[in-house]
Amino acid sequence: MNSTSASAPPIDQTTAAAIREALGAARMGRLGEACSTAERALANGGDAAALNAMLGMFRTRAGEHQAAVRHLELAHAARPNDARIAANLASALTSIGDLERAFAIASRERAFADPTLQLCRIRAFVADQLCQFDQAIDAYEHVVGQVPRDWETWNNLGNVRVLSGDPARGVADLEKAVSLAPDSAPARLNLARAHRDSGDFARAEQVLRKMADDFPEDPKPLIDLHDLLKVQMREDDLLEIIDRALKLLPDDLSLLLARARYFGSILEMERGEEAFRRVLEHDPSNAEAFIGLATLYEHFRAAALEDLSEEAERLQIELNSRNLVQAFAHRRAKRFNEGVAALGKIAPDFETARREHLFGQMLESLGDHDAAFAAFEKMNETHAADPSRPVERAEALRAELNAQIEATTREWFDGWAAPPLEPEQPAPAFLVGFPRSGTTLLDTMLMGHPDAVVMEERPVINRLKGEIGGFEAIAGMGEGKVRQAQRRYFEIAAEYADLRAGALLIDKSPLLLNEAALIHRLFPGAKFILALRHPADVLLSCFVSNFRLNNAMSNFVRLDTSAEFYDLTFQAWESACSLLPLDVHKIVYEEMVEDPAGALRPLVEWLGLAWSEEVLDHRKTAAGRGVITTASYAQVTEPIYRRSIGRWRHYRKQLEPILPVLKPWVEKFGYSL
C-alpha cells in the first residue's frame, strides 16, 4: 500500500526500502515492528512526509489515534494537497472526537478534488455528526453523482435528509438505496423509519412486516414494528410481535418489559404481574419493573403496594423509582404528607406524568387546591407532548364527531335501506355517559345483581363498527347485513363476557353515547342507561385523571378541548335522541350517592329484572370483581361518599374559561353554576 498519492514527489531509496520493510511487517500483523522500522528511518533522515503518513496509518490500525494524529499532521503540513493523507488525518481526528478539525481538513475544495471520493465521504459523515446537514447533503450528492450505484451513500443521504427535516426526499433516496441493494436490512430499516418520520405509518408498517418475514433472524424490524404500533395505540397485534422478537432475544429486558406493559394495557393484570416478575428474575432491582408492578397493584391488588415498597427499599432499587413506589404506597394508606415528601425527592424529569398525578391527588387531599391543580396541569402538559401526538388525534376525533352530527338528519334516517330489525336473541342494555359520570360505581352495583352480566369497557361496538365500514355504512345496511352484524356483536362480546342464558348483558362503555345510531340500527329495542353528573365535576375529574392516551382520552390534556369534546358528545347524543326512538333511563350520580336504593330500584325494574338487595353492597361486589379497569378503581372499593359532589368549586377560578361552554348543559341537566 502506497502512503502517498500519485502526485506525491519521488522519495529516496533509503526511505523506499524502509517503507517496503515496514509494510511487509504490517502485512504479517507485526505493527510494532513496522512502526519501529519507520521510526528508525525518520531518525536517520528519511522522507518525513512519507514516513509520518505511513506511521499515522499504522498507529490508526493499532488504535493509537492520538499518536496517529501527531504523525498525520506532520505529513499533512508537508503535503497539504495529498488527498490520502488528508483523508487519513480527518479519519483519525474523527476517532478522537475532534470533529471541527476533521471537517476543516476535509474542506469542500479538497474533498471534491479527491478522485477516490474517500475524503468526500468523510466530509459528509463529519458534517452529519456536526448537524451541518446542508454540507453533508452536498457531499453525499457529489458522491452519488460520481457513483450513482453506490447504495450505501444513497442510504446515508436519505438518513441525513430525514434528519434535516425533509423526510419526503429522504424516502426517495432510501428507496433508491433499497432498489440497488434489496438484501440490505439496514437500508430497508432506514426506509421504514423515514416513512414513519414522514407520517406515512401504513407504508412504514408494510416495509417492517415484509422485513420481518424476509429477515426472520433479525429482531430489529420486529422491535421497530412494536414501537410503531404502540405509538398509534394499536394493541391488537403487539403481543405476537413482542413474542416473535423474544424468540430471537429471549433475555432482552426491554422486550420483557414491553410484554409486561402490554398485559397491563389490556388489563390482564395477573399476566402482567407474572411478566414483570419475569423481568425481576433477570434483574432483581429493575426499577421499571417495580414501577410497572406498582401501577398494576393500584388496579387489582392494592394491599400489595406496601410489600412492594418494602421490597424496593430492601433491594435499594434506583432512588427515583424507589421514592415513586413508596409514594404509591403512601397514597393508598392515606399518608399524604409522607407521600408528598417522597415525591419531592424525585428528579423533575423522572416519570413526570405519574409523579405529578400523585402530587396533585395528595396535595388535594391536604387541601392545597391551587398547588394540586398546578400539578395536574404539568401532568397534562407532559401528556400533550407524547410522541403519539394526542392533541392531533383528539382534534381528528372531534372533527369526525362533528361530521357525524351534521350527517345525522331526518333525511339520513328516512333513507335507511332496511327498517329496524329486532335481533334473534335478547338485546343488551347499554350503560353510557360521559367519562367520570359515576358509571363505574353504577356498573359495580349492577354487577351485584344475580341476573345481570356487566361487560366493562370492551371494544365490541368499536370493533364491529370497523368491520361494517363505520358510521357512513349505517344507512346502507340491508336486512342481511344487519342480521350478520347482530350475530357478530354477540360473537365478539363472548370473547369478553360470560353470556349465560337468562342473564341480561349490560354493555358499559361511557362514550357509546356517540354510537347511539349504530346501536339502534342493530338493536332498535335496546335500553340505554344514561349516567349524568354535574358537567363541571365531570370535566374537572377528566382533566385530573391520568388516562391512557387513546383518541378520546387525549381530549382531556387541555381544558378547552375537554369542554369542546363534552359539548360535541352531548350534541351527538341529543341529535340521535331527536331522530331515533331510544329507550332511555337517566341515573343522576348525586341522587345515586344520596339514596342508592331510591335511584337503583326503578332502574332495575325498568331493565326487567327483579329487585335484589345485593345491588346495594357495592364494596362486596368490587372486592369480588378483581380488576377495576377505569380511573375510579380507588373510589368504588370505599363506602359511598359525597365528597366528590361539588368538587369543582374548589377549582372554580381554573375552570372559569370553560364554564360558558358547559352552561347550557348544566342548565339542561338541572344543575347550577
Side-chain angles (χ1 to χ4, degrees):
M1 176 179 179
N2 192 346
S3 63
T4 62
S5 66
S7 60
I11 56 177
D12 60 88
Q13 292 301 315
T14 301
T15 300
I19 289 173
R20 285 194 296 273
E21 181 181 347
L23 287 172
R27 278 193 291 270
M28 299 298 292
R30 302 193 300 271
L31 285 176
E33 179 184 329
C35 289
S36 296
T37 300
E39 295 280 9
R40 285 196 302 272
L42 267 177
N44 292 329
D47 188 307
L51 291 168
N52 276 307
M54 184 173 66
L55 274 165
M57 180 179 63
F58 292 158
R59 299 292 187 199
T60 297
R61 286 190 199 173
E64 301 169 6
H65 299 297
Q66 290 283 5
V69 166
R70 289 194 296 272
H71 287 296
L72 289 166
E73 283 182 327
L74 292 170
H76 178 66
R79 296 182 184 171
N81 295 321
D82 189 308
R84 179 168 292 173
I85 292 173
N88 288 342
L89 175 56
S91 180
L93 287 166
T94 301
S95 297
I96 66 171
D98 196 342
L99 299 179
E100 295 287 355
R101 287 174 65 200
F103 191 60
I105 295 298
S107 67
R108 189 177 192 276
E109 180 182 5
R110 210 177 261 136
F112 279 39
D114 175 15
T116 70
L117 300 175
Q118 181 184 6
L119 192 57
C120 198
R121 290 187 173 93
I122 293 172
R123 174 178 172 80
F125 172 79
V126 173
D128 182 2
Q129 297 301 299
L130 290 170
C131 297
Q132 296 190 28
F133 299 129
D134 290 346
Q135 297 294 332
I137 290 169
D138 179 51
Y140 281 134
E141 285 182 334
H142 176 74
V143 174
V144 295
Q146 301 296 310
V147 190
R149 297 191 63 77
D150 181 352
W151 72 267
E152 290 179 310
T153 299
W154 281 111
N155 175 74
N156 294 338
L157 176 58
N159 288 338
V160 173
R161 285 206 204 277
V162 172
L163 288 172
S164 73
D166 189 2
R169 294 183 69 186
V171 164
D173 293 332
L174 288 162
E175 286 178 336
K176 178 73 171 178
V178 170
S179 71
L180 292 168
D183 294 332
S184 168
R188 287 169 66 175
L189 190 63
N190 288 332
L191 175 59
R193 291 172 177 173
H195 281 305
R196 176 200 65 199
D197 292 342
S198 68
D200 191 346
F201 289 172
R203 182 69 178 124
E205 181 180 349
Q206 183 181 4
V207 173
L208 289 170
R209 288 191 182 278
K210 184 71 165 60
M211 270 194 76
D213 292 338
D214 291 348
F215 302 97
E217 302 304 315
D218 186 352
K220 293 187 185 69
L222 293 168
I223 292 170
D224 269 44
L225 181 57
H226 164 271
D227 294 344
L228 180 70
L229 296 176
K230 190 168 181 62
V231 97
Q232 298 176 76
M233 306 297 291
R234 290 174 51 200
E235 296 177 335
D236 291 348
D237 299 331
L238 282 183
L239 185 59
E240 177 196 354
I241 299 300
I242 294 168
D243 283 347
R244 283 178 66 183
L246 277 169
K247 286 181 181 178
L248 302 174
L249 298 171
D251 299 324
D252 186 276
L253 286 178
S254 63
L255 289 170
L256 291 171
L257 283 164
R259 189 171 190 272
R261 292 191 196 100
Y262 167 79
F263 287 127
S265 72
I266 63 168
L267 309 172
E268 293 278 356
M269 299 305 187
E270 291 182 354
R271 296 180 74 184
E273 180 183 19
E274 180 184 354
F276 279 123
R277 286 294 174 188
R278 183 179 169 191
V279 173
L280 293 176
E281 289 173 7
H282 289 75
D283 180 10
S285 59
N286 186 280
E288 294 182 66
F290 271 91
I291 293 173
L293 284 170
T295 305
L296 291 186
Y297 289 162
E298 278 273 294
H299 285 272
F300 86 121
R301 213 147 64 78
L305 281 169
E306 202 72 48
D307 290 339
L308 185 70
S309 177
E310 292 174 2
E311 183 182 354
E313 182 68 29
R314 185 174 65 254
L315 291 171
Q316 292 289 289
I317 71 169
E318 187 272 330
L319 187 57
N320 286 316
S321 305
R322 196 188 325 160
N323 281 309
L324 186 60
V325 172
Q326 288 173 349
F328 274 108
H330 286 316
R331 185 191 65 175
R332 200 65 183 181
K334 302 188 186 305
R335 299 187 297 262
F336 301 125
N337 283 308
E338 292 93 330
V340 168
L343 292 171
K345 298 174 185 177
I346 299 175
D349 59 348
F350 181 81
E351 290 284 348
T352 305
R354 282 197 182 103
R355 189 190 73 250
E356 295 296 340
H357 184 237
L358 287 169
F359 253 136
Q361 290 180 316
M362 288 191 273
L363 288 167
E364 181 179 44
S365 295
L366 292 169
D368 192 346
H369 295 96
D370 287 347
F373 195 84
F376 293 133
E377 283 185 312
K378 288 180 184 176
M379 173 191 74
N380 282 307
E381 288 168 3
T382 302
H383 283 324
D386 189 84
S388 68
R389 298 183 286 192
V391 174
E392 294 177 31
R393 289 188 286 108
E395 183 179 9
L397 178 62
R398 294 195 305 277
E400 179 184 334
L401 185 53
N402 196 53
Q404 180 177 314
I405 293 168
E406 292 179 356
T408 306
T409 63
R410 172 58 58 186
E411 292 75 18
W412 171 78
F413 178 51
D414 290 342
W416 282 13
L421 299 167
E422 291 297 335
E424 297 163 346
Q425 60 190 98
F430 292 87
L431 172 49
V432 301
F434 204 78
R436 312 298 292 148
S437 294
T439 54
T440 300
L441 176 59
L442 178 54
D443 81 38
T444 302
M445 289 178 149
L446 291 173
M447 281 181 189
H449 198 289
D451 296 326
V453 173
V454 179
M455 182 171 63
E456 188 191 19
E457 302 201 25
R458 298 302 187 179
V460 181
I461 287 292
N462 285 340
R463 283 176 57 182
L464 188 59
K465 183 179 180 181
E467 290 180 12
I468 68 170
F471 176 83
E472 294 77 10
I474 293 174
M477 294 177 71
E479 181 175 347
K481 287 192 174 182
V482 171
R483 291 289 185 215
Q484 182 181 4
Q486 288 171 339
R487 297 185 193 106
R488 181 64 180 142
Y489 172 89
F490 289 107
E491 288 175 4
I492 301 172
E495 298 177 21
Y496 302 108
D498 177 16
L499 306 185
R500 62 180 187 271
L504 172 66
L505 174 62
I506 301 175
D507 187 340
K508 177 267 182 123
S509 193
L511 285 172
L512 289 183
L513 271 172
N514 295 322
E515 305 299 344
L518 172 58
I519 292 170
H520 183 74
R521 170 76 284 192
L522 302 179
F523 306 113
K527 295 178 180 293
F528 287 86
I529 309 165
L530 175 63
L532 293 174
R533 182 185 178 192
H534 194 299
D537 273 333
V538 167
L539 265 292
L540 171 67
S541 190
C542 287
F543 184 73
V544 304
S545 294
N546 189 18
F547 288 120
R548 288 183 59 248
L549 295 175
N550 62 29
N551 294 348
M553 300 303 107
S554 293
N555 284 280
F556 305 136
V557 301
R558 288 169 31 186
L559 278 176
D560 60 341
T561 56
S562 299
E564 182 183 348
F565 187 47
Y566 185 95
D567 182 51
L568 285 170
T569 295
F570 275 103
Q571 283 189 52
W573 171 255
E574 291 293 322
S575 176
C577 287
S578 68
L579 287 175
L580 310 172
L582 303 184
D583 190 2
V584 181
H585 184 99
K586 296 177 183 178
I587 285 285
V588 177
Y589 172 76
E590 292 83 357
E591 295 175 358
M592 179 173 62
V593 168
E594 194 68 41
D595 180 10
L600 291 174
R601 185 183 289 272
L603 169 63
V604 169
E605 293 173 354
W606 173 76
L607 288 170
L609 302 173
W611 173 248
S612 170
E613 291 291 326
E614 293 180 64
V615 168
L616 300 179
D617 195 353
H618 77 285
R619 297 184 72 193
K620 177 182 176 182
T621 303
R625 68 184 285 187
V627 177
I628 298 171
T629 65
T630 73
S632 304
Y633 50 82
Q635 293 94 324
V636 298
T637 57
E638 299 181 9
I640 291 177
Y641 55 81
R642 302 184 74 257
R643 65 179 181 268
S644 61
I645 297 174
R647 179 188 183 194
W648 71 275
R649 298 185 186 280
H650 294 295
Y651 300 96
R652 184 178 188 115
K653 67 180 180 182
Q654 290 92 351
L655 297 177
E656 200 68 45
I658 65 168
L659 294 183
V661 180
L662 299 183
K663 185 177 179 181
W665 301 110
V666 169
E667 295 173 350
K668 179 177 180 61
F669 299 147
Y671 296 101
S672 64
L673 294 174

